Amino acid sequence: ALATREKALGPRSPEVGAVLCDLGIVYVAQGRFDKAGPALERSLSIREAALGAEHPDVARSLNELGVLRWREEKYPAAETLFTRAIAIWEKGRGANHPDVAKACNNLALVLREEGRTHATIPLYQRALAIYEKALEPDHPRVARVLNNYGQAVFDQGDYTAAAPLFERALAILEKTLGPDHPDLAAPLNNLANLH
């Protein structure tokens, strides 16, 4: 797809930037960070030049590059990328768009890694409220935020408040993905640690 679009549209086309972003996502999922970085950085460069620095597609490249930097444990860089993505998506898509929730959740994950758990709570609460309204209360994304939110509450030592967050996340994932899906491992593990 990348070769076809580069040939047909030129190497600086926003369509090339879109494919590069998707390719970078795949590389991150595979743990091939050495290939993900160049793809996502090129995607961002193309999109900024072609669409302008405030375009929502630029925010997508920023968010995905932020995921890479988080996975590489480059937390300050990830924080900057997610913060910028949030601002662009808020301006271009509105404060209650699911993309804003995604970037808020991602930013909270970074802050937790940096030991700034207190700062994650409002981000998780915001992401949860957006997803519950924009999607459905039993959507798997809601469950993932609930699980992350529960971890932050757990980290602060409030086991009583963490338990229902983990339990609700587990119930949603069991209902939507089935009892044997691998995503159930996270809330199950967190409930085991809590108990």
Side-chain angles (χ1 to χ4, degrees):
L2 179 61
T4 300
R5 285 189 179 180
E6 283 179 324
K7 184 177 179 183
L9 305 172
R12 302 295 296 170
S13 165
E15 295 299 318
V16 170
V19 173
L20 284 164
C21 187
D22 291 340
L23 187 58
I25 292 168
V26 171
Y27 286 144
V28 169
Q30 294 175 334
R32 298 166 68 188
F33 300 159
D34 59 319
K35 293 199 174 283
L40 291 168
E41 288 165 1
R42 185 171 166 219
S43 169
L44 177 60
S45 174
I46 290 170
R47 285 175 157 176
E48 283 179 322
L51 304 171
E54 299 297 314
H55 193 279
D57 288 349
V58 169
R60 181 156 192 258
S61 291
L62 289 165
N63 184 72
E64 300 307 332
L65 187 55
V67 171
L68 171 63
R69 297 300 179 236
W70 169 62
R71 296 277 306 275
E72 292 174 323
E73 300 181 3
K74 297 178 179 176
Y75 303 131
E79 181 179 349
T80 299
L81 291 162
F82 291 137
T83 300
R84 187 169 163 217
I86 290 168
I88 292 170
W89 273 329
E90 284 176 332
K91 183 177 178 184
R93 296 198 168 152
N96 295 315
H97 193 278
D99 286 342
V100 173
K102 175 173 44 179
C104 283
N105 182 67
N106 290 342
L107 177 57
L109 291 169
V110 169
L111 297 178
R112 182 174 182 257
E113 292 292 341
E114 292 180 319
R116 296 160 55 192
T117 305
H118 64 282
T120 67
I121 301 295
L123 289 165
Y124 287 133
Q125 290 171 336
R126 181 175 182 200
L128 183 60
I130 292 170
Y131 277 151
E132 285 178 325
K133 186 175 180 181
L135 304 173
E136 296 194 12
D138 288 342
H139 194 282
R141 287 187 192 171
V142 171
R144 290 182 186 101
V145 172
L146 283 165
N147 187 63
N148 294 340
Y149 181 16
Q151 287 179 316
V153 172
F154 178 88
D155 289 347
Q156 292 184 327
D158 191 348
Y159 305 143
T160 303
L165 297 170
F166 294 144
E167 290 165 355
R168 183 172 167 220
L170 179 61
I172 291 170
L173 292 174
E174 283 179 330
K175 177 181 174 184
T176 57
L177 303 178
D180 297 323
H181 195 279
D183 285 2
L184 274 68
L188 284 167
N189 186 64
N190 287 333
L191 279 166
N193 286 334
L194 185 147
H195 290 301

